[in-house]
Amino acid sequence: MGRHHARVLAGLDGVQFVGVVDPMGDKNGWAQGVPVLSSVEELIALGIDYAVVACPTALHEEVGLALAEAGICALIEKPVADTVEGARRLVEAFESRDLVAGVGHIERCNPALLSLRQRLEAGELGDVYQVVTRRQGPFPHRIADVGVVKDLATHDIDLTGWVTGQTYTSISARTVSKSGRKHEDMVSAVGQLSDGTMVNHLVNWLSPLKERFTSVTGEKGCFIADTLTADLTFYSNAAQATEWEALQAFRGVAEGDMIRYAIPKREPLLVEHELFRDAVLGKVVDICTLRQGLRTVEVAAAVLASAADGRTVDLSARAVAQ
């Protein structure tokens, strides 16, 4: 992700992109012409206002704590840390110094999900019954330090809570590892949110089909978001009855209209950086905070605990506390 962050930062209005840290150097020429430094300490010495942390997940805590100690704001790629304890230490480090810090849960900036969230908040679906996500595709060889739960499933955990405005109260999951790595490469999870909404997640690195699917079913119909194409479609319930007897047996609700919305489609990463820039400047904007990132890491840890122990993990106490 570092090269994509560099590309956006190099052209971001109101921001001067001054340096990149990569101990391996810039072998591919992705640094956009800025100095390539060998350590975080060298970057801090430049007197920067904020930094983007896009290193392997296992290093997020170490780098983030160094930035917080130096009084520097940070946008940390998701997940915020590879452990719950590490995420808590980062929250404390930045909050205790009153520093702006966020997590790069980029799906919050996807046009389809932004529109979906606004429509749910406006009550267009009525009561929400179920959220289903599917996120699958081939194995990414760049990922070596975490499994599919912490890398990919954290997207779905965060976006589910964000679009619905709810927290997880329980989760049950199963995982498999078929690629020969020590980490899991497929997970199927069933959970419940604080308002009773049912949640289903299917995430894997074992499919030749790349899919990014989110559906929200409720009282008035169903929203389908494809975050690969940033399309949002609504399938409505309606009073129009079906006269075809063979179909009637399979329909629990009356079939209504299907609408594919025309929505503005800006690059999510650019939107994410614009929001974080504005947050650093003191403006009130909607970014994913470190504390929200911590909640996602807690749910991901519960997914792995459930898969390991074969039990449903109760998250209700944490949901109330947060």
Side-chain angles (χ1 to χ4, degrees), residues 50-289:
Y50 76 91
V52 175
V53 180
C55 55
T57 305
L59 298 176
H60 285 187
E61 181 186 354
E62 176 186 341
V63 174
L65 292 178
L67 293 169
E69 180 68 25
I72 296 169
C73 302
L75 174 62
I76 303 174
E77 261 299 342
K78 63 85 205 160
V80 62
D82 62 340
T83 66
V84 172
E85 295 75 19
R88 287 177 181 154
R89 284 189 286 268
L90 284 169
V91 169
E92 170 61 23
F94 282 92
E95 287 189 351
S96 65
R97 294 171 173 86
D98 199 25
L99 294 169
V100 176
V103 186
H105 280 293
I106 196 170
E107 292 287 41
R108 293 188 179 207
C109 300
N110 188 286
L113 294 177
L114 281 167
S115 181
L116 171 57
R117 186 186 190 220
Q118 292 165 359
R119 294 176 186 282
L120 291 179
E121 288 178 340
E124 293 186 20
L125 194 60
D127 290 339
V128 176
Y129 303 151
Q130 182 186 47
V131 179
V132 175
T133 69
R134 296 196 302 270
R135 186 174 298 266
Q136 51 189 341
F139 173 70
H141 294 284
R142 62 182 176 82
I143 303 296
D145 59 335
V146 294
V148 75
V149 170
K150 291 182 180 178
D151 183 66
L152 277 191
T154 49
H155 278 302
D156 294 314
I157 293 167
D158 179 75
L159 76 85
T160 297
W162 178 71
V163 298
T164 62
Q166 304 298 318
T167 54
Y168 285 76
T169 56
S170 68
I171 198 79
S172 178
R174 296 294 182 270
T175 60
V176 297
S177 182
K178 297 293 185 180
S179 61
R181 301 164 66 250
K182 66 177 181 178
H183 300 294
E184 77 291 342
D185 40 39
M186 175 179 283
V187 60
S188 179
V190 178
Q192 188 173 51
L193 302 182
S194 47
D195 65 348
T197 297
M198 181 192 305
V199 173
N200 300 80
H201 301 308
L202 175 62
V203 190
N204 75 71
W205 280 328
L206 299 175
S207 171
L209 166 68
K210 188 170 184 178
E211 184 179 34
R212 303 288 184 266
F213 170 95
T214 301
S215 74
V216 182
T217 302
E219 180 184 5
K220 299 179 181 179
C222 178
F223 283 111
I224 303 292
D226 183 337
T227 54
L228 283 176
T229 60
D231 287 325
L232 179 65
T233 305
F234 179 56
Y235 296 83
S236 70
N237 299 338
Q240 184 64 44
T242 299
E243 296 182 10
W244 186 357
E245 185 177 352
L247 288 181
Q248 285 179 341
F250 297 99
R251 297 198 186 280
V253 296
E255 185 176 18
D257 296 325
M258 180 188 76
I259 304 169
R260 187 170 70 84
Y261 297 104
I263 52 180
K265 295 183 179 181
R266 302 183 67 224
E267 182 184 0
L269 189 61
L270 174 58
V271 174
E272 180 179 81
H273 276 287
E274 289 175 342
L275 289 172
F276 192 74
R277 172 203 62 197
D278 290 348
V280 172
L281 291 172
K283 299 179 182 179
V284 178
V285 292
D286 184 18
I287 64 171
C288 179
T289 66

Side-chain angles (χ1 to χ4, degrees), residues 26-71:
D26 186 18
K27 297 182 293 183
N28 297 297
W30 290 334
Q32 303 294 319
V34 303
V36 179
L37 311 171
S38 59
S39 70
V40 175
E41 289 70 27
E42 292 178 66
L43 187 66
I44 292 172
L46 295 179
I48 59 174
D49 297 305
Y50 76 91
V52 175
V53 180
C55 55
T57 305
L59 298 176
H60 285 187
E61 181 186 354
E62 176 186 341
V63 174
L65 292 178
L67 293 169
E69 180 68 25

